[in-house]
Amino acid sequence: MTTLPHINQTHIPHPENLTREIALRERHKSLMLRAWILAGLFFMALPGTLLGFSNLMAIATHHGLGALRPHGYRAMCTPRSLAGSAASSSE
């Protein structure tokens, strides 16, 4: 029966290649971090911006101006303050 070592033996590079291997490993980590950040920004911006905007537009077209009451709409179009100022300026 064989036993497995508790500690995995890692490859120890030659001192001449050590700097090169460290630089390659750090570059790989940097690229992975960039990809992770860009993926996070993409999946945050797409649903939050594009889908949210289209949802608001759909709600706005669904409700439209039909939700306004007729007398409220007329009051918004011709406010009494404007009608009163026009009458006083003509006198």
Side-chain angles (χ1 to χ4, degrees):
M1 189 161 146
T2 61
T3 60
L4 297 174
H6 291 287
I7 300 173
N8 293 335
Q9 295 179 355
T10 59
H11 170 68
I12 300 174
H14 195 269
E16 295 172 355
N17 296 331
L18 182 62
T19 305
R20 183 174 178 268
E21 287 192 23
I22 290 173
L24 287 174
R25 187 180 319 126
E26 292 298 321
R27 178 148 175 84
H28 178 71
K29 287 179 183 179
S30 173
L31 291 174
M32 292 299 291
L33 180 63
R34 288 181 196 172
W36 183 74
I37 290 172
L38 287 175
L41 288 174
F42 176 75
F43 285 109
M44 179 180 62
L46 181 70
T49 305
L50 300 176
L51 296 177
F53 178 74
S54 65
N55 188 26
L56 288 175
M57 293 305 292
I59 291 170
T61 56
H62 175 71
H63 289 288
L65 293 176
L68 294 175
R69 295 179 297 196
H71 65 284
Y73 182 70
R74 275 185 264 132
M76 287 187 340
C77 292
T78 56
R80 293 177 192 209
S81 61
L82 290 177
S85 65
S88 63
S89 63
S90 62
E91 293 175 3

